[in-house]
Amino acid sequence: MDCSDTDTNSCDFFPHTDDEDSRGSCAASPPPEQPQKKRRRGRARSEAAVQVVKKNRRVKANDRERNRMHNLNDALDALRGVLPAFPDETKLTKIETLRFAHNYIWALSETIRIADLQAGKAAEPPLLLASACLGEAPSPGSDACSWSSSGSSSSSSPPYCASSPGSPAAPDTFSFLQQDALFFRGFVPGIY
DNA sequence: TAGGCCATCTGGTCCT
DNA sequence: AGGACCAGATGGCCTA
């Protein structure tokens, strides 16, 4: 719409070269009708040139903005790659990715915190992420853990212990992390 | 078909 | 002046 009438070449497809300069130089050629009397650098030409410069700037800015958003999406993809994967699920949306990451980080930090607490005491069964999450809300002021219908199920054995690939180091924890991913994605309460 | 998600464009603002 | 960042607008695609 916006690019249909005036802007003909700044729409969807970009050859993606740095030829904005060439485009600019090309467009910077003097406007067609110029009384070739004397050297009257009148307003007409300068205004046309200004228009060309403005258009070039816009095209460049659009290109930068596109790149910026691509970088942002790349970072988001990298984040998706770090989060527990869902083999059969579709790609997380942007907002899901951010919320999931938020909850996931919280859960991991809780795991560490509780592990540290337990380190000083007798060794307990391996700490599971769900128990950490069931312990308290994922973030201050957030009711993200309200999904735990039975919030006090401290036994915290995973509802189903799939034979996940798991890591050789800590299979229990790892598989549970993956299952927790389902939880965390499921409730997605919103960060703020 | 409505609604959600996304990519892109665009103008404004802030910073270097 | 120019680039980065941001938010609003718009249109396309997909799914329930």
Side-chain angles (χ1 to χ4, degrees):
Chain A
M1 168 190 192
D2 30 0
C3 52
S4 59
D5 34 13
T6 62
D7 240 358
T8 58
N9 61 348
S10 68
C11 235
D12 292 343
F13 56 127
F14 286 90
H16 247 301
T17 58
D18 347 331
D19 59 351
E20 283 126 17
D21 300 329
S22 66
R23 215 181 306 154
S25 64
C26 160
S29 61
E33 36 168 330
Q34 203 43 287
Q36 65 259 49
K37 280 285 204 164
K38 306 262 181 171
R39 42 169 182 269
R40 277 195 37 178
R41 302 209 193 281
R43 286 183 73 76
R45 181 190 175 187
S46 64
E47 286 190 359
V50 164
Q51 291 304 315
V52 167
V53 168
K54 278 186 179 178
K55 184 175 176 179
N56 272 343
R57 271 211 276 264
R58 228 320 112 197
V59 169
K60 277 186 176 180
N62 289 347
D63 203 34
R64 285 194 304 271
E65 177 67 8
R66 219 178 302 121
N67 280 334
R68 198 180 68 86
M69 296 309 294
H70 287 170
N71 285 337
L72 188 62
N73 288 339
D74 286 348
L76 221 39
D77 278 339
L79 182 58
R80 285 190 188 100
V82 163
L83 295 174
F86 312 95
D88 52 341
E89 294 241 358
T90 58
K91 192 170 100 171
L92 290 170
T93 66
K94 293 180 174 181
I95 187 66
E96 281 174 337
T97 301
L98 292 176
R99 287 173 172 163
F100 183 10
H102 174 260
N103 293 329
Y104 190 59
I105 290 170
W106 172 85
L108 289 175
S109 58
E110 275 304 286
T111 301
I112 292 173
R113 187 180 66 83
I114 298 177
D116 282 349
L117 283 179
Q118 288 187 340
K121 303 179 177 184
E124 292 276 318
L127 189 65
L128 296 180
L129 202 52
S131 61
C133 181
L134 291 172
E136 58 187 85
S139 69
S142 159
D143 59 346
C145 261
S146 58
W147 55 271
S148 64
S149 52
S150 61
S152 61
S153 70
S154 60
S155 69
S156 74
S157 72
Y160 40 81
C161 226
S163 60
S164 78
S167 81
D172 272 12
T173 303
F174 186 84
S175 64
F176 203 83
L177 286 179
Q178 289 200 315
Q179 287 158 18
D180 260 5
L182 297 172
F183 280 117
F184 291 135
R185 188 188 177 182
F187 68 79
V188 181
I191 303 175
Y192 298 112

